[in-house]
Amino acid sequence: MKIVVLNGSPKGDMSVTMQYINYIQNKFKNHELKIINISQRINQIEKDKKTFEDIIHEIKFSDGVIWAFPLYVFTIHSNYQRFIELIFEKNVVDAFDGKYTSVLATSIHFYDHTAVNYMNSICDDLNMNYVDYFSPEMYDLRKEDTQKNLLQFAQNYFNAIENKVITLKNYNPIKYSPNKYIPEITHHKIDVSNKKVVVVTDSLEDINLKNMIHKFRNSFSQTIELVNLQDIDIKGGCLGCLKCGYNYACAYTGKDDFINFYNSKLKTADIIVFTGAIKYRHLSSTWKRFLDRGFFNTHTPSLSGKQIGFIISGALRQIPNLRQILEAYTQWQGSNLVGFVTDEYDTSIEIDQQLYVFSCNLIKSSTVNYIKPATFLGVAGMKIFRDEIWGNLRFPFVADHNAYKALNVYDFPQKNYKSRIRNFIFMLMCKFPSIRKKIYSNQIKSSMVVPLKKIVEDTTI
Ligand SMILES: Cc1cc2nc3c(=O)[nH]c(=O)nc-3n(C[C@H](O)[C@H](O)[C@H](O)COP(=O)(O)O)c2cc1C
């Protein structure tokens, strides 16, 4: 069989992910895995009609398609996403119709599930036969059980094609036909006082988005800055070169304006409102490029303490995966998510009210420097980074290591000597059944609240 592998790594053949594909190819010599470098060649693919058509031709006459890609900031690389946009924009969806497909993603398991969900939903939108995904940690191929399971994953995939198995659909098509939003209500203007508010967008083509942005900016007594990513000189997507790892110096430094924009507009803001229109289950690839290029800050939070909100045109309520990505992004950044306003309402008045409350909440939270605690999204994500930067990834991510020391990210429990001594004493005491019974039946519940009660009852705090 001939399988087309769409390579999502900006590093082309020099890709970790492709080693997994090469491994499969070596073990299944009876099938051809034809690798096409997508992310690395996106400029040519987008500009040169023939290059794009040749790829689509390969797909059309293949027995199946493997989406093989590295995780990039919660999903896929912006260039890979651009390719997906081109499939829909250039109306070549037919080439994918009914093709058997699987997803192979390498990562450090930071939000690999949202990337897999996203790709699965795109495959369902393309009416492909989605067989399965395989999402190993980038160096797992060194492990025998991963090698064995990878081959099993490939075998299952080939079997599915040969036997024309029925595959499971996981996502419904998006149904979205918004009413035109035209602002109707005029509220009292809100004073931003000394807060710096920045609105960032990727486009003003979507009328509802444009009107929502306009209404939001008009809610305030002062002028609110609007930055359109299209007006910033951004030479390209993240190269994946990891030059930034040593001291946050991106390979694009001095070559375009992205870093200057990020540092001067976003890092200095108190309140940031990200706005965009949903395109094929994510914000646009322009937005994705923003997220990827933001990686010049590597794994160090760069928007800590800020209030963040989203104004979105599109069916966000039907894409909980995207909502989770955006929420996780704010938590990982150490900022406070104030909320989302979308155009999924029956009337313009409802959107007016949502925007007004949203504006008030942004200012209120900023005034008192409110940051709600991170949920699993932020806490778990940070623990993955903490362990990786402490261990495997300390080199090349030297800048992260220094920042994590300064920010007390290395809060490993093993350094907590007080709890280690307490655990030792209690574990020892519990070896005696009578003491154990007493502790577990009478003391656990009350002892759990003791440290908190102390704070509650201390009137000086
Ligand atoms: C800019 C950038 C963003 C990344 N984002 C993520 C991420 O969100 N989650 C994750 O687990 N790994 C992330 N990674 C790690 C890569 O996914 C991982 O190293 C992958 O194996 C690289 O594969 P490749 O060599 O095929 O490009 C990121 C790496 C880079 C350079």
Side-chain angles (χ1 to χ4, degrees):
M1 281 187 299
K2 184 172 169 185
I3 308 296
V4 167
V5 176
L6 299 173
N7 178 8
S9 174
K11 295 180 287 173
D13 299 336
M14 201 79 83
S15 143
V16 167
T17 317
M18 287 308 108
Q19 305 319 308
Y20 288 73
I21 294 295
N22 295 340
Y23 187 82
I24 296 173
Q25 179 68 90
N26 286 344
K27 304 290 171 184
F28 291 94
K29 294 221 158 63
N30 49 332
H31 301 308
E32 184 195 351
L33 299 186
K34 184 170 171 58
I35 299 174
I36 303 180
N37 291 334
I38 297 294
S39 292
Q40 195 188 39
R41 297 193 306 142
I42 193 65
N43 289 340
Q44 188 194 351
I45 293 170
E46 186 162 6
K47 283 184 193 129
D48 181 28
K49 199 165 164 244
K50 185 167 180 311
T51 306
F52 182 75
E53 282 171 0
D54 286 350
I55 294 171
I56 299 304
H57 184 269
E58 290 281 2
I59 290 167
K60 203 167 189 160
F61 293 96
S62 70
D63 296 293
V65 175
I66 296 179
W67 299 89
F69 57 87
L71 249 287
Y72 263 63
V73 195
F74 302 97
T75 56
I76 55 175
H77 189 277
S78 61
N79 294 355
Y80 207 44
Q81 191 183 325
R82 181 66 198 131
F83 179 70
I84 290 169
E85 288 173 354
L86 289 174
I87 294 168
F88 291 101
E89 284 171 16
K90 290 183 183 281
N91 207 6
V92 292
V93 176
D94 281 0
F96 295 80
D97 195 350
K99 289 273 176 240
Y100 279 82
T101 188
S102 274
V103 160
L104 174 68
T106 67
S107 70
I108 59 166
H109 288 310
F110 178 82
Y111 286 88
D112 55 338
H113 67 293
T114 48
V116 169
N117 291 343
Y118 164 77
M119 273 315 310
N120 186 168
S121 60
I122 291 294
C123 292
D124 282 356
D125 287 349
L126 290 170
N127 201 28
M128 302 180 86
N129 280 304
Y130 180 85
V131 180
D132 205 356
Y133 70 87
F134 196 81
S135 178
E137 200 275 344
M138 58 190 287
Y139 288 117
D140 276 352
L141 190 58
R142 294 178 299 185
K143 298 179 187 160
E144 228 174 88
D145 66 330
T146 304
Q147 296 164 9
K148 188 177 115 281
N149 285 318
L150 178 64
L151 296 182
Q152 194 56 57
F153 161 77
Q155 184 68 67
N156 288 347
Y157 175 60
F158 298 137
N159 290 348
I161 301 175
E162 266 158 10
N163 302 325
K164 295 190 171 47
V165 300
I166 293 174
T167 53
L168 305 177
K169 290 271 179 244
N170 292 316
Y171 296 89
N172 276 332
I174 303 272
K175 288 194 186 119
Y176 173 67
S177 40
N179 295 319
K180 191 167 179 194
Y181 167 61
I182 299 168
E184 287 186 32
I185 310 179
T186 312
H187 291 99
H188 286 301
K189 298 255 183 195
I190 306 161
D191 183 8
V192 302
S193 81
N194 59 348
K195 299 297 174 190
K196 184 179 167 195
V197 187
V198 178
V199 179
V200 189
T201 192
D202 61 332
S203 163
L204 293 171
E205 274 166 34
D206 182 293
I207 295 297
N208 277 1
L209 183 66
K210 189 177 168 188
N211 288 348
M212 288 195 288
I213 293 171
H214 178 74
K215 175 72 181 166
F216 172 77
R217 292 174 74 210
N218 258 343
S219 317
F220 302 96
S221 322
Q222 294 82 352
T223 307
I224 303 298
E225 184 171 14
L226 171 68
V227 181
N228 189 335
L229 292 176
Q230 287 185 21
D231 297 335
I232 299 171
D233 175 26
I234 305 175
K235 287 272 182 292
C238 173
L239 303 171
C241 64
L242 305 189
K243 226 176 157 186
C244 51
Y246 189 73
N247 58 1
Y248 306 126
C250 175
Y252 285 102
T253 305
K255 295 184 180 142
D256 71 12
D257 280 345
F258 182 79
I259 297 158
N260 180 36
F261 148 71
Y262 196 97
N263 288 336
S264 66
K265 301 281 184 203
L266 301 189
K267 286 189 182 171
T268 58
D270 300 297
I271 297 169
I272 306 172
V273 177
F274 294 117
T275 72
I278 294 177
K279 267 184 146 183
Y280 318 114
R281 297 186 184 264
H282 200 279
L283 295 178
S284 69
S285 59
T286 305
W287 261 120
K288 189 63 189 39
R289 192 172 54 182
F290 164 90
L291 294 171
D292 293 357
R293 286 289 305 273
F295 191 76
F296 77 90
N297 298 289
T298 58
H299 306 87
T300 306
S302 55
L303 303 176
S304 297
K306 303 189 188 306
Q307 304 298 324
I308 292 190
F310 294 89
I311 297 177
I312 288 175
S313 166
L316 185 65
R317 289 187 201 146
Q318 293 174 55
I319 316 171
N321 194 54
L322 176 57
R323 193 182 161 111
Q324 184 179 125
I325 289 168
L326 300 176
E327 193 162 358
Y329 172 73
T330 59
Q331 291 194 13
W332 162 62
Q333 288 287 8
S335 37
N336 187 49
L337 174 63
V338 174
F340 297 88
V341 179
T342 74
D343 56 357
E344 298 161 288
Y345 291 91
D346 292 336
T347 63
S348 292
I349 292 178
E350 287 169 284
I351 299 175
D352 282 341
Q353 283 164 340
Q354 290 285 311
L355 283 169
Y356 185 69
V357 171
F358 174 72
S359 312
C360 293
N361 290 348
L362 283 163
I363 300 295
K364 264 195 258 169
S365 301
S366 184
T367 307
V368 294
N369 293 324
Y370 177 64
I371 303 282
K372 56 180 159 284
T375 63
F376 177 83
L377 303 179
V379 175
M382 209 56 206
K383 281 186 198 289
I384 290 185
F385 284 166
R386 179 195 70 182
D387 289 4
E388 288 291 337
I389 301 300
W390 175 261
N392 279 343
L393 297 184
R394 188 182 304 190
F395 184 81
F397 293 105
V398 181
D400 282 331
H401 177 57
N402 293 330
Y404 281 16
K405 277 194 287 186
L407 296 168
N408 285 327
V409 175
Y410 293 138
D411 58 349
F412 300 97
Q414 60 264 39
K415 279 235 169 115
N416 188 341
Y417 293 105
K418 216 168 138 192
S419 82
R420 282 167 71 176
I421 293 168
R422 191 187 62 102
N423 290 341
F424 175 77
I425 293 171
F426 276 97
M427 283 163 77
L428 196 68
M429 281 163 55
C430 284
K431 292 214 184 294
F432 301 96
S434 61
I435 304 180
R436 182 166 71 234
K437 191 171 170 211
K438 209 168 151 200
I439 291 177
Y440 274 94
S441 355
N442 303 329
Q443 290 179 5
I444 291 262
K445 276 202 276 182
S446 57
S447 66
M448 278 168 73
V449 293
V450 168
L452 301 174
K453 265 193 156 174
K454 254 195 223 162
I455 293 169
V456 175
E457 285 161 9
D458 185 341
T459 50
T460 64
I461 297 176

